[in-house]
Amino acid sequence: MDAVEKANTERQRRWVKDQKIGEGMYAVVYRGREAATGRRVAIKKIKVGQFKDGLDMSAIREVKYLRELKHQNVIELLDVFSSKTNLNLVLEFLDTDLELVIRDRSLVFLPADIKSWMAMTFRGLEFCHRNFILHRDLKPNNLLIASDGQLKLADFGLARDFADPGYKMTCQVITRWYRPPELLFGCRYYSTAVDIWSVGCIFAELMLRTPYLPGESDMDQLKTTFRALGTPTEEDWPGHTKLPDYVPVGQFPRTPLRELFTAASPDCLNLLSKCLIYEPRRRISAREALNHQYFFASPKPSHPSKLPKPVMKASPTAPLEEMNGNVEMNGSGPGVKANPPNKLKRKLSSDDLGGRSIARKLDFSQHRQS
Amino acid sequence: MSRTASGGLLRGTVIRKGGASSSSSTRISTPQVQSTSTTIFGGGVKDPSGRTSEYFVSLIHAIHCMQIRPILESEVASLGKRMLPQDTFEDLGVEKEVAVRRRIAKEFNKRKEDFPDLRSYNDYLEEVEDITFNLINDIDIPETEARIAAYRRENAALIELNIQREEQYSRYLKEHEDAERQEREQRALELRRAEEEEREEREKERREIIDQLQTSDKDAVKLIAKSRAGALRRATARSSNGAQSSSKALRPRFAQSAVIPDEPHVPLQDDWYAYEDMFVLRDSYDDPASEAVRRDREGIMRAGGYRVEEAWERALRYAVAGLEIMPLQGFHLGANTSPHGSGESQAVSASTS
């Protein structure tokens, strides 16, 4: 046995797989624990063998970036090891995600709760941006929530580092409802501002308790966006008509945010509007956002441990699990039940990425293991 | 209470009630003791709020001393031996001590939780006591003031935080009290309303029965029994309704907030360091690689938000970030042929290279 194999075997021994909790085309997720301490973990086994061109891209990205990032508000990749022809990612175990929290109608959000979630989101994002990494898939169900209430950015399957000058980036990133207009116009040279737009949409969703800009197609997404925020003029956003996929989608007047967000404070709306500025260069940065008056004004952000959370079923079976990345929604693993069919699924439509499935999440809220 | 070293420290607890000169008062210019027979229970020096400040403060003093005594037993003893002029704890001395302690407590407000272990907390308490002692007894004043200033500088954030914590805690106590009071009032109101309703209902029933007895030719006993059953039904319905108080829903959150206070917002909670002291980003660089971007004739990079400055900043930061990393030592490329080099350590060092 050579040195690498030996090291790998030792790593493998540190972790115990307990129970399979989901399976997709690209990965199987297990609930597991650390052998020495019993600490709960999620083990994501990525099937390598079946791909002609080697590892799935999102797995590479996830390992590449999570291996380097360590922050209170970013999911921790604890270990990576291989077994036979598979790659295993050992991830921090997290109880639930922000989408399930938003959807749980029995939970009441206080303004301080929303502030707390936003602060944690911006902190995690600031850390990524500080380290020159774009997340490119922020949405409520990629914001996972630990048992102590800390919110963590997860699913780095679409992340990448800042492009060098002149290098093109793909515009087919970020789940549609959270995708900024520059990407919808096919822009290949963009920046951290794309993530900020997504955070703005999440911010609005926390207040509305329903997705803010739920477009039904890419074209409809532009329309939905402009209907909500007004069609940008050349003055609002210089140069946007020259973007590769620019199409005029009609003129809509700008309606004040106040009309939709009736209960929000002026500080709150000011920050929201700065996240949703059309011109990416003028959009607020994560660091500026964290220093925004909204966070310092009363009420103080709720202590994470007090944030509302869906009630976990007291069954011994798997609670909600870290289950992102390339797990197929319609994978038919035993006992796995996908989201109920819904036209407005919170995922990239399959044509977005040439049929390749990315960034999906299983829903275990209705799952009972036999 | 004798005048031995540690007993002496507690002498401040003796309240001079009557104006009798039996107490060893040597004070001349301090406030006069109001010492008529009417103030026999309210003796002592009164501060503007009408509180008997001497008593109040002496008690604090006593508590303070008791807190420190276990760890300072030897210290106090030695202090006593060193130099404790008898009149240190005469009234004038106590007054000065009170002022000094008040001043010190304002800034030396660290809590046990702020220390990694009991030992360092005790050391801190000892230092505070040391400083206080020096100030009270005019020992090394300049040096002591310098110590205080140094402490203030080093702990500014923590001092501020602890002040805020205290304020916050008292605020939460108040909030909690308010919530409880509101609930009590609400309950009383509901109770009153229920009683009122019940009274009205009884009245109505009585009238109905009388009406029915007057107009109907049915058996009086049956009518009364029927009406009683109806009243009972309504009463049980009422009591089960009343069980759900409106204030119940938010109750757990209230209770929680009294226990875990919300912290003020801190923008970044990790040690942010971006090597900004090691380079200065210029407005422009002679950078052929980004020339096309900067020309950006179509303006599409600007419209998309791409910033060449970010690429420059990254290049610079990456360049300086590695400057302090020592080159690997004792690492030979031909290591896999070395006779006793364990394969594993090679793998490790290779991965860090």
Side-chain angles (χ1 to χ4, degrees):
Chain A
M1 195 186 283
D2 72 16
V4 176
E5 268 177 54
K6 201 172 151 200
N8 183 59
T9 316
E10 254 162 47
R11 289 193 160 185
Q12 198 173 348
R13 263 195 229 121
R14 276 186 64 197
W15 310 103
V16 184
K17 280 178 192 162
D18 279 337
Q19 187 179 33
K20 183 165 162 180
I21 49 174
E23 175 164 10
M25 272 178 71
Y26 299 92
V28 186
V29 177
Y30 297 87
R31 188 156 57 127
R33 65 198 141 84
E34 187 171 18
T37 63
R39 170 187 185 183
R40 292 194 303 170
V41 296
I43 300 176
K44 190 155 140 184
K45 184 171 91 178
I46 292 162
K47 303 169 184 170
V48 181
Q50 64 190 81
F51 297 105
K52 271 179 268 159
D53 358 315
L55 266 179
D56 179 48
M57 192 60 185
S58 66
I60 295 174
R61 284 176 163 149
E62 191 142 31
V63 175
K64 182 174 169 188
Y65 297 114
L66 283 183
R67 210 71 180 121
E68 309 259 327
L69 294 175
K70 198 159 164 35
H71 185 272
Q72 179 176 247
N73 299 115
V74 174
I75 190 171
E76 190 179 354
L77 178 65
L78 299 162
D79 207 350
V80 181
F81 62 86
S82 63
S83 57
K84 287 174 247 163
T85 57
N86 299 316
L87 183 71
N88 293 270
L89 313 188
V90 184
L91 292 153
E92 190 178 1
F93 184 96
L94 297 164
D95 290 335
T96 185
D97 67 60
L98 199 58
E99 188 191 346
L100 292 171
V101 175
I102 292 172
R103 269 207 319 226
D104 189 331
R105 293 280 149 193
S106 68
L107 302 176
V108 179
F109 294 179
L110 302 175
D113 298 339
I114 294 175
K115 192 176 288 186
S116 182
W117 282 316
M118 288 308 294
M120 292 190 280
T121 307
F122 274 124
R123 260 183 226 121
L125 187 61
E126 189 277 337
F127 184 73
C128 296
H129 289 176
R130 187 198 307 171
N131 289 290
F132 305 105
I133 292 166
L134 307 177
H135 184 284
R136 304 200 302 178
D137 197 19
L138 290 175
K139 54 180 165 178
N141 66 343
N142 281 341
L143 302 178
L144 306 191
I145 291 171
S147 52
D148 63 355
Q150 282 290 345
L151 178 149
K152 293 171 194 254
L153 269 55
D155 196 347
F156 281 67
L158 281 175
R160 70 159 291 161
D161 52 352
F162 290 12
D164 281 325
Y167 278 79
K168 283 185 177 178
M169 292 179 270
T170 172
C171 57
Q172 299 296 340
V173 287
I174 306 189
T175 303
R176 191 193 303 126
W177 297 350
Y178 306 90
R179 200 182 300 159
E182 66 263 32
L183 294 185
L184 292 163
F185 282 145
C187 171
R188 300 313 196 93
Y189 308 96
Y190 48 84
S191 72
T192 51
V194 296
D195 287 334
I196 299 294
W197 181 277
S198 307
V199 176
C201 294
I202 296 166
F203 193 4
E205 188 166 340
L206 279 169
M207 290 188 267
L208 299 171
R209 299 292 290 267
T210 182
Y212 178 44
L213 303 171
E216 291 182 31
S217 64
D218 288 1
M219 190 55 78
D220 188 55
Q221 187 62 38
L222 277 169
K223 252 189 209 158
T224 310
T225 306
F226 295 164
R227 220 177 275 131
L229 297 161
T231 307
T233 62
E234 184 64 24
E235 196 176 275
D236 291 335
W237 185 6
H240 73 280
T241 53
K242 302 221 179 75
L243 290 171
D245 300 340
Y246 173 77
V247 273
V249 289
Q251 290 296 319
F252 300 98
R254 184 178 179 86
T255 45
L257 290 173
R258 164 70 54 211
E259 280 180 22
L260 187 55
F261 304 92
T262 45
S265 71
D267 282 333
C268 175
L269 288 188
N270 183 280
L271 177 57
L272 176 63
S273 67
K274 284 183 170 166
C275 295
L276 298 174
I277 290 176
Y278 281 125
E279 194 193 349
R281 282 162 168 259
R282 284 178 35 232
R283 226 170 275 157
I284 199 166
S285 73
R287 215 168 143 197
E288 286 159 2
L290 282 168
N291 286 297
H292 191 276
Q293 178 56 28
Y294 165 68
F295 289 112
F296 296 96
S298 179
K300 296 198 188 83
S302 301
H303 191 276
S305 63
K306 292 193 297 191
L307 291 170
K309 258 192 191 185
V311 181
M312 298 291 161
K313 288 191 196 82
S315 68
T317 54
L320 302 159
E321 192 80 17
E322 202 287 303
M323 275 296 298
N324 44 53
N326 40 19
V327 177
E328 258 292 76
M329 192 72 105
N330 48 18
S332 50
V336 174
K337 199 171 171 193
N339 269 330
N342 177 358
K343 259 195 222 156
L344 304 178
K345 252 183 215 164
R346 213 176 282 250
K347 59 176 187 181
L348 289 159
S349 53
S350 52
D351 53 283
D352 281 342
L353 277 153
R356 197 161 66 78
S357 154
I358 51 148
R360 301 199 173 167
K361 191 165 189 306
L362 293 172
D363 176 11
F364 288 94
S365 53
Q366 298 142 27
H367 158 55
R368 276 186 205 86
Q369 192 84 21
S370 51
Chain B
M1 206 178 290
S2 72
R3 291 195 177 199
T4 56
S6 54
L9 273 176
L10 287 172
R11 265 210 72 227
T13 53
V14 178
I15 316 156
R16 295 172 309 112
K17 278 182 181 160
S21 57
S22 64
S23 87
S24 55
S25 172
T26 54
R27 177 165 45 181
I28 298 153
S29 60
T30 46
Q32 282 305 305
V33 178
Q34 290 147 15
S35 55
T36 61
S37 58
T38 56
T39 59
I40 195 136
F41 298 113
V45 180
K46 300 227 177 175
D47 64 12
S49 69
R51 211 187 248 143
T52 315
S53 61
E54 191 174 294
Y55 174 80
F56 179 65
V57 163
S58 320
L59 195 61
I60 291 179
H61 178 192
I63 292 168
H64 205 109
C65 291
M66 282 188 286
Q67 259 181 353
I68 316 169
R69 182 109 57 77
I71 47 151
L72 287 179
E73 202 92 65
S74 59
E75 176 75 1
V76 169
S78 70
L79 284 180
K81 259 177 265 161
R82 238 194 296 161
M83 35 108 22
L84 275 193
Q86 278 303 337
D87 64 351
T88 305
F89 298 106
E90 296 299 56
D91 289 340
L92 196 58
V94 170
E95 281 233 338
K96 186 180 179 191
E97 173 160 4
V98 164
V100 167
R101 287 203 182 276
R102 225 182 243 147
R103 179 195 153 192
I104 291 294
K106 222 177 264 172
E107 288 182 327
F108 286 80
N109 61 0
K110 285 201 197 175
R111 302 159 166 220
K112 204 168 161 190
E113 309 90 85
D114 298 332
F115 295 89
D117 52 34
L118 187 64
R119 167 92 223 165
S120 49
Y121 177 54
N122 280 339
D123 288 348
Y124 161 78
L125 286 181
E126 193 169 336
E127 199 197 336
V128 175
E129 196 51 34
D130 206 29
I131 289 172
T132 313
F133 183 85
N134 285 355
L135 287 183
I136 292 168
N137 297 293
D138 295 325
I139 304 164
D140 300 334
I141 293 294
E143 191 235 352
T144 309
E145 288 292 349
R147 265 163 86 183
I148 295 173
Y151 167 85
R152 193 185 296 140
R153 259 200 316 281
E154 283 161 23
N155 297 284
L158 193 60
I159 292 170
E160 183 57 30
L161 184 70
N162 277 337
I163 291 173
Q164 280 174 4
R165 274 185 188 162
E166 263 154 42
E167 282 170 0
Q168 202 168 40
Y169 184 65
S170 55
R171 223 179 11 256
Y172 272 111
L173 283 184
K174 194 177 163 296
E175 262 172 34
H176 191 57
E177 260 169 36
D178 287 351
E180 275 191 344
R181 202 196 56 239
Q182 263 175 20
E183 205 188 317
R184 266 200 312 277
E185 284 170 5
Q186 186 72 25
R187 258 206 312 271
L189 199 75
E190 274 165 24
L191 209 68
R192 265 204 306 282
R193 215 183 38 225
E195 275 169 7
E196 185 71 15
E197 272 171 20
E198 210 179 313
R199 209 177 45 75
E200 274 173 17
E201 237 166 61
R202 264 204 308 274
E203 186 66 23
K204 208 172 108 200
E205 257 164 47
R206 214 168 50 84
R207 274 199 306 270
E208 270 172 17
I209 291 176
I210 291 170
D211 273 2
Q212 282 174 344
L213 286 176
Q214 278 174 346
T215 56
S216 142
D217 49 356
K218 277 183 196 155
D219 184 5
V221 179
K222 269 185 191 162
L223 273 176
I224 291 171
K226 199 179 151 201
S227 138
R228 289 257 161 87
L232 194 70
R233 240 190 350 261
R234 280 194 295 277
T236 48
R238 207 167 37 232
S239 69
S240 65
N241 267 346
Q244 299 152 336
S245 161
S246 57
S247 53
K248 277 267 145 55
L250 273 174
R251 196 79 204 290
R253 294 299 294 274
F254 260 119
Q256 258 186 342
S257 68
V259 178
I260 317 164
D262 296 328
E263 308 277 330
H265 175 67
V266 179
L268 297 175
Q269 299 187 331
D270 58 341
D271 304 323
W272 151 258
Y273 175 58
Y275 303 91
E276 277 159 345
D277 52 332
M278 294 176 75
F279 66 89
V280 178
L281 192 67
R282 283 202 236 141
D283 290 340
S284 183
Y285 289 90
D286 179 19
D287 176 19
S290 69
E291 222 164 288
V293 179
R294 279 177 290 155
R295 256 186 273 125
D296 190 20
R297 288 218 183 83
E298 298 293 302
I300 56 169
M301 297 205 192
R302 179 181 153 75
Y306 184 82
R307 287 169 186 274
V308 72
E309 294 81 7
E310 282 174 345
W312 287 336
E313 191 195 336
R314 175 170 62 168
L316 281 165
R317 210 196 294 172
Y318 281 5
V320 297
L323 285 179
E324 284 171 6
I325 297 173
M326 293 299 287
L328 283 177
Q329 298 207 330
F331 181 70
H332 305 291
L333 278 175
N336 54 353
T337 58
S338 100
H340 51 261
S342 92
E344 204 185 320
S345 69
Q346 287 156 28
V348 171
S349 49
S351 69
T352 56
S353 63

